[in-house]
Amino acid sequence: MTKEGYKKKMEEIAYLESVKRPEISRAIAEARDKGDLSENSEYDAAKEAQGLLEMKIAQLKDLVASCRIIDESNLNNEEVQILNCVKIKNVANGMTMEYTIVADSEANLKEKKIGSSTPIAQGLLGHKLGEIVEIKVPAGLMKFEIVQITF
């Protein structure tokens, strides 16, 4: 995981614990004050939301506890590695795409960040500039030329 990704996950945990958890506790207390809990759908919904929130917090804490921060000083751009920004050209139609290969937990296609376990990332990792790689994607076998490798 990148330092930036780690920081975002820690901020999300802090937000969930300091803002969302008290909100749900207040909702449970308000629903409890309305009387009979056996027929109180607001109480049931708030308890379910609390369970989902606690599960999300536990998953995030587990993720950050088991992650490794990648030392960017050890990276190079001679071959495709995690955290590299790779520009590739589809050999069949000439279309170019640019992706940054990141940990799966940081993947975000809107930001052009793909997880390292995706078929495209797996096909590119370890290859050098100028190489043509064949990658099996759901649509079939595709050929891409590695045009540029940067950080």
Side-chain angles (χ1 to χ4, degrees), residues 12-78:
E12 184 176 0
I13 291 169
Y15 171 76
L16 293 175
E17 288 181 333
S18 64
V19 177
K20 296 304 274 181
R21 189 181 270 165
E23 284 177 6
I24 290 176
S25 293
R26 280 192 295 278
I28 290 171
E30 287 174 18
R32 192 180 303 126
D33 291 343
K34 292 184 180 177
D36 186 11
L37 297 181
S38 64
E39 295 179 13
N40 189 333
S41 61
E42 286 179 39
Y43 179 78
D44 292 338
K47 287 297 279 183
E48 184 176 340
Q50 181 185 39
L52 293 172
L53 176 71
E54 294 302 326
M55 183 176 70
K56 178 153 179 117
I57 290 171
Q59 287 174 337
L60 286 169
K61 284 185 173 183
D62 186 48
L63 175 69
V64 297
S66 63
C67 78
R68 290 184 319 177
I69 307 286
I70 296 172
D71 182 7
E72 296 178 27
S73 65
N74 293 335
L75 299 176
N76 65 56
N77 58 354
E78 293 176 17

Side-chain angles (χ1 to χ4, degrees), residues 64-101:
V64 297
S66 63
C67 78
R68 290 184 319 177
I69 307 286
I70 296 172
D71 182 7
E72 296 178 27
S73 65
N74 293 335
L75 299 176
N76 65 56
N77 58 354
E78 293 176 17
E79 68 179 34
V80 180
Q81 300 176 344
I82 195 164
L83 293 187
N84 282 146
C85 181
V86 183
K87 188 179 221 178
I88 55 176
K89 182 171 80 172
N90 185 327
V91 174
N93 63 15
M95 190 171 113
T96 60
M97 297 160 275
E98 197 169 315
Y99 298 112
T100 301
I101 300 172

Side-chain angles (χ1 to χ4, degrees), residues 5 29 33 83 90 101 110 113 115 119 121-123 136-137:
D33 291 343
L83 293 187
N90 185 327
I101 300 172
K110 290 179 184 174
K113 294 180 178 180
Q122 286 291 304
K136 186 175 181 179
V137 293

